[in-house]
Amino acid sequence: MNLDPVFLSKPIFLHGLSTLIHVLLLVSVLVSWVWKKITTCVINECKERPNSTWFNKITKFCSIGFSSFNFVLFLFNYFYWYRNGWSDEKVVTLFDLALKTVTWFVVFVCFHKGFFFFLSSGQRKRKFSFFFRAWCVFYLFVSCYCFVVDIVVLYENHIELTVQCMVSDVVSFCVGLFFCYVGYCVKNESEESDETIHEPLLNGDTHVGNDNALELNKTKGSDTVTPFSNAGIWSLLTFTWVSPLIAFGNKKTLDLEDVPQLDSRDSVVGAFPIFRDKLEADCGAINRVTTLKLVKSLIISGWKEILITAFLALVNTFSTYVGPYLIDSFVQYIDGKRLYENQGYVLVSSFLFAKLVECLTERHLYFRLQQLGLRIRALLVTIIYNKALTLSCQSKQCHSSGEIINFITVDAERVGTFGWYMHDLWLLALKVTLALLILYKNIGLASIATFVSTVVVMLANVPLGSLQEKFQDKLMESKDARMKTTSEILRNMRILKLQGWEMKFLSKITALRDAEQGWLKKYLYTSAMTTFVCAPTFVSVVTFGTCMLIGVPLESGKILSVLATFKILQEPIYNLPDVISMIAQTKVSLDRIASFLRLDDLQSDIVEKLPPGSSDTAIEVVDGNFSWDLSSPSPTVQNINLKVFHGMKVAVCGTVGSGKSTLLSCVLGEVPKISGVVKVCGEKAYVAQSPWIQSGKIEDNILFGKQMVRERYEKVLEACYLKKDLEILSFGDQTVIGERGINLSGGQKQRIQIARALYQDADIYLFDDPFSAVDAHTGSHLFKECLLGVLSSKTVVYVTHQVEFLPTADLILVMKDGKITQSGKYADLLNIGTDFMELVGAHREALSTLESLDEGKTSNEISTLEQEENISGTHEEANKDEQNGKSGDKGEPQGQLVQEEEREKGKVGFSVYWKYITTAYGGVLVPFILLAHILLQALQIGSNYWMALATPISADVKPPIEGTTLMKVYVGLAIGSSLCILVKGLLLVTAGYKTATILFNKMHLCIFRAPMSFFDSTPSGRILNRASTDQSEVDTGLPYQVSSFAFSMIQLLGIIAVMSQVAWQVFIVFIPVIVVSIWYQRYYSPSARELSRLGGVCEAPIIQHFVETISGTSTIRSFDQQSRFHETNMKLTDGYSRPNFNISAAMEWLSLRLDMLSSIIFAFSLAFLISIPPGIMNPGIAGLAVTYGLSLNMIQAWAIWILCNLENKIISVERIVQYTTIPSEPPLVSEEENRPDPSWPAYGEVDILNLQVRYAPHLPLVLRGLTCMFRGGLKTGIVGRTGSGKSTLIQTLFRLVEPTAGEIIIDGINISTIGLHDLRSRLSIIPQDPTMFEGTVRTNLDPLEEYTDEQIWEALDKCQLGDEVRKKEGKLDSSVSENGENWSMGQRQLVCLGRVLLKKSKILVLDEATASVDTATDNLIQQTLRKHFTDSTVITIAHRITSVLDSDMVLLLSQGLIEEYDSPNTLLEDNSSSFAKLVAEYTMRSNSNL
């Protein structure tokens, strides 16, 4: 058959030929793929993957770009020809374009996956396989032929040629030419493939993306500054700069070190100095700040971002109103009333351009607002922290650490979040104004009714807004109270468990939470009512009703324009309650922060600091009068006159509460000065009575900000007797200390404190009785090596209760009732001092039981002791650290006690969502909430449909329905939708409130029932973070997040339903767009999820650092380390901001791409509608589809955004649920048949049988098979070197640690078989660390409210505190500040004694109970115990040998074994016994002048 030459030049032949060669390629690929699967050819496709050169990237880009180009042409031709009719030629052309789209997409996928059919192997020289190169040549020939035919044949014959055909052939020719060039001219490179992160197509800026990806891969993210700081304009516009991090998050689970550093503008390190200087310049001083001035300074610190966001908000607002303005014209166009040629294309272009501008401005507006919010939060956290470091002690008592934690976790966070709402008020005014102009254009004077109704809605919110502010204020106050108590309880959990009080204190927390929930419920239900009042349908009903009354004709085009305007106006009116609520919340938070900043600072002029070497006098106090409470009539210490020269050793002694510690605090400048002069010459170092240890390594605690000088460091370790401890620890000085040194013994904490002071190499050392927490041997060593050795040339002022440390002092100060009653050398005071003689006399009385010892024996024993001094170890202190997992090989980080906070990894499990929605009432309310959402959407769509169908297209057309009927139906639908809003709001609040309550109760019950090991290894900051930030999210944030997601999905389905009814063809685009959207969401989620988790994990260290700083302000200030702590806080704050900054960017990265995709659907719908000939479709319904299409991108992006945000926020539930699965202690109360008799224990006999204890299954035994009996009614003293197992035995007796083997039997009952509460409530203990809780004297002595006032007074008198309490104005209701800080250490110990006197248990344990009191008070306590516990079993662990000398039995432990167990007299008679040696050492230290 002869082919007609004319036919060869016809488009039907050309497109048919193109179709044929594309089918050939597709079939070849398919056959090759099937062949590979059948033969299971082992080919490592990763190796065959092309090298990541720019050629390969361009190849992939060309493939996907050409596929997209053909797809757009396909759509354009389809709509163009749909209106003008079909022909065979057009069908073949469309088929060709569709096949090109599919084929080139397959080519792209094959290149991306490295499919061997297209690519040559590494040994070949060419990049492409032979077949594909041959196909490219043939394709280039066909493209060239088509191009020539277009130019020569068609133009010569003057045949009309469409522009799209010409463009298609040109692009095809260029693509064919490029692939031939790559296939034949570009050689295959042999170097290893680059591991650069592959970017998704829409990442845009190739240069920025690739460089950053490479940078992220080769270096840690934390070593680089965020690409945002130097990104190009395109990268900034499309958020491409964050693409490398998102891509990296898809490769591996992100960690903090993968996240880049903040830019200096966003980093608090760069921003804070400017903010602080501005605030100080404005106020004169921070403590004169007002809320207004604080706001002003915050605005100035972010004025650029505020202006940029204002401009973006302005442009965004104008662009959103373009659509409603043009809808009437669009409806008229569809109805056939066309003003000029190509009006349809102009309308579509206008709609699309406005939509793109709206998308871009909205994304950048949200990102910039979040960026500003993070910066403001960081600035507030930093200024609150800095203020906490300078607070005076009196101011500090006004706010507990729990309250200050709320300032940073809730208030600063809320002010930062206000950034979202910053422009909403003026934007609301602008939007209402623009809406009224559009409405006036469409409905004339009826727009006045719209304005009035809008104002009415706003005014209706005023009383509700003030109510919300009030409820929010009360809610925050109650939250403060709860957090304050929670913080204190967590700090003292050990004593609560020992006393069996934890459930009582849990009920205290529950009561505080109940008060908080009362305000929470009011706040939430007020919010629900506000939503109902703001139901936007009210405005539309009033508007259309007014139109009917004044006779304004309602045409469907104008109605749709009005409805579209209402839809935009609906958002600000609908969000008005949130804005009002947020303004109220933010004002409350700013007021609270400002009032905190106004608190009095520590007076800077208390101490006059002289330069080192400028004076012979190190410390001088002249006529000093000081008081902790300036309102008190009598000073705490008065008439102090003191002069200490350089190099002097000054001892301060006196009875409990005489003002010894206060005197040191006066020298430090911590006590407010009433009158007098204090001069200090030189640098100071301070060792507090209560050890203050930071979480972190032992080495860091000792260095305390100084550079490591190994020689000095080793010398300090030796002097502080720490080397042996460090040798036993698996990690040595790299061992991580738990919160407040929880995994160290009291002695170790004190020695680390002393080491810290020694390493500073200061001029003046102030020691507040540091030797009380260590045993006799260690105390003697410390005194010799530290005070008389390392510090021999330094000035040292030391408070001590040990009289034996006094003789070496150059000056002794004797204090009584806040005055220095005597001063002088030891020998002089012995002759003249009455108060001094009381102390020394008490000490000698304590030693009287040792007088029978032969002096010769003693000296022999002393010489033996000195030989053996370095033999005994500190094994048990390591045993305390066995909780740490410190046995085993060094370098096993998993053995550390405090691990990095556990965070879930990967996708948030469906179980977390299910747990959240089914927690309240088993999820019964959820279907009703969904039904209310669905009905609301159906009623809203129905009302719009009704208005579009029931109104005429123009004024000259008769209305199909009467006006009254029109309004009746519309009002009915509007009322129905308003009721749905109300029902939905009330049900949502009810379910959310119930869920928050249940989760709170479950988490707190699990925490309080957790074993002590959980609190040892978990910093309280982690628990407080969940109780504060996460709980707040569950209380108020999450219910609305879940509801918003459900409603957005329902709205999305409703919009698609409306649009597809008009043009079902929208599904052609909608389905692939949704697929791509879901892919993007999944691509984004791993990074966003981990960044959100990192944000949660990074907040706990800020809280932890805050809590530690507040408790150690005196130590920090005494070492002049404030600046270093400021820097650490800023570093931690930036660590929190980094992931959150990138979460914001990643979210907008996703939202921008989703907006672009939804714009494609909108453009497709518009193009289809203008291609339909007039008369085929109802213009009103077509206009309705456009009305809904205008909000499609917003709703779709909102739905995905809410989904991502929900996944980020649901992590709060995940973290709370994580703490509801903590392993619990054994039951508090056993079953009825196993419960002990109420009178148990009647005799107090403790029988220990083969007791073996270890702190964890993988750790060695701490107690290695103890067998002994403590007979009922006898007093047993437990002694041993530091680390022998004494404290472990007591913990096991109270079942803080469960026995590994063996058993403890008390009066015939195995304690492991009864409930913990039954056991602990029958035992009494005076702990080593005396603890008092915030409250009153009564609640401290009797927290369970079991005793009468008479019994409490009796106990106070017995413990010598009765007179002290009677002096106080409130008597038993006298206040006790947080941690008992307004009581001295010794007085706190006496309160602990009062507790056991009230309880009168048959078994009493004294755990180094008299360590913090002077010898006279110690003797008094011992006499009290002897008098009132004559028939009780008393078990005493003591460092003072005199405390156990009058015991009936002495148990001496060594390395977890019983070394000796007998009466003291029997053991003392044997000169070789270890107990005799301990006594000899104590006697030697006490009787010599050292």
Side-chain angles (χ1 to χ4, degrees), residues 39 86 172 306 376 393 423 622 639 759 968 1151 1272 1363:
T39 57
W86 297 96
S172 297
I306 292 171
I376 287 172
C393 287
H423 301 296
V622 181
N639 303 327
Y759 191 80
K968 281 177 186 175
S1151 298
D1363 292 340

Side-chain angles (χ1 to χ4, degrees), residues 364-601:
H364 285 277
L365 171 65
Y366 287 168
F367 171 68
R368 294 282 182 173
L369 288 175
Q370 289 178 86
Q371 180 189 13
L372 180 62
L374 276 174
R375 189 188 304 170
I376 287 172
R377 178 199 172 278
L379 291 172
L380 288 174
V381 167
T382 307
I383 200 165
I384 291 166
Y385 178 88
N386 291 4
K387 180 68 180 182
L389 257 181
T390 60
L391 279 182
S392 67
C393 287
Q394 201 169 4
S395 299
K396 209 167 156 186
Q397 288 176 16
C398 300
H399 293 282
S400 68
S401 54
E403 287 178 298
I404 299 174
I405 286 165
N406 262 0
F407 288 140
I408 61 169
T409 58
V410 178
D411 293 304
E413 189 78 46
R414 183 166 289 131
V415 177
T417 308
F418 179 71
W420 282 97
Y421 304 87
M422 186 182 301
H423 301 296
D424 281 15
L425 282 179
W426 69 266
L427 278 178
L428 176 62
L430 178 64
K431 286 178 178 179
V432 169
T433 305
L434 289 174
L436 289 172
L437 290 173
I438 293 172
L439 291 171
Y440 185 77
K441 169 182 172 283
N442 288 303
I443 55 175
L445 291 174
S447 58
I448 296 171
T450 308
F451 176 71
V452 172
S453 58
T454 304
V455 171
V456 167
V457 167
M458 291 179 182
L459 289 176
N461 273 288
V462 173
L464 287 170
S466 61
L467 264 180
Q468 277 189 302
E469 181 178 357
K470 175 190 168 187
F471 294 153
Q472 177 65 26
D473 205 353
K474 296 291 185 185
L475 179 63
M476 290 310 301
E477 282 178 19
S478 52
K479 191 188 289 289
D480 278 349
R482 174 173 64 82
M483 288 306 299
K484 182 178 182 179
T485 307
T486 305
S487 176
E488 185 176 47
I489 287 171
L490 291 175
R491 195 165 52 245
N492 299 302
M493 187 57 79
R494 183 177 294 275
I495 186 66
L496 293 183
K497 286 194 174 289
L498 285 169
Q499 301 280 10
W501 293 344
E502 68 266 41
M503 299 317 289
K504 173 66 180 177
F505 277 77
L506 174 59
S507 66
K508 192 176 175 183
I509 292 283
T510 308
L512 288 167
R513 172 66 180 175
D514 288 342
E516 182 186 349
Q517 282 176 335
W519 295 113
L520 177 65
K521 185 185 277 190
K522 289 176 183 175
Y523 174 75
L524 291 173
Y525 279 106
T526 308
S527 298
M529 288 307 299
T530 311
T531 309
F532 173 65
V533 169
C534 282
T537 44
F538 171 73
V539 177
S540 55
V541 166
V542 170
T543 304
F544 292 139
T546 306
C547 288
M548 297 295 297
L549 287 172
I550 64 174
V552 175
L554 293 176
E555 301 165 17
S556 57
K558 295 185 187 302
I559 289 286
L560 290 170
S561 180
V562 169
L563 286 174
T565 306
F566 284 156
K567 207 173 252 306
I568 294 173
L569 197 57
Q570 169 180 321
E571 187 199 349
I573 293 176
Y574 195 75
N575 289 339
L576 184 61
D578 288 343
V579 177
I580 292 170
S581 168
M582 198 63 204
I583 290 170
Q585 292 178 38
T586 306
K587 182 181 179 299
V588 169
S589 291
L590 282 166
D591 287 341
R592 282 157 50 83
I593 292 169
S595 67
F596 176 70
L597 295 177
R598 282 196 299 272
L599 290 175
D600 290 335
D601 289 338

Side-chain angles (χ1 to χ4, degrees), residues 50 59 199 472 516 582 638 753 759 885 897 969 1017 1180 1368 1375 1387 1404 1461 1469:
T59 303
E199 303 292 340
Q472 177 65 26
E516 182 186 349
M582 198 63 204
Q638 52 193 311
Q753 266 213 129
Y759 191 80
L897 173 69
V969 173
S1017 59
K1368 295 182 180 289
S1375 65
Q1387 287 171 327
L1404 171 64
Y1461 183 44
E1469 285 169 5

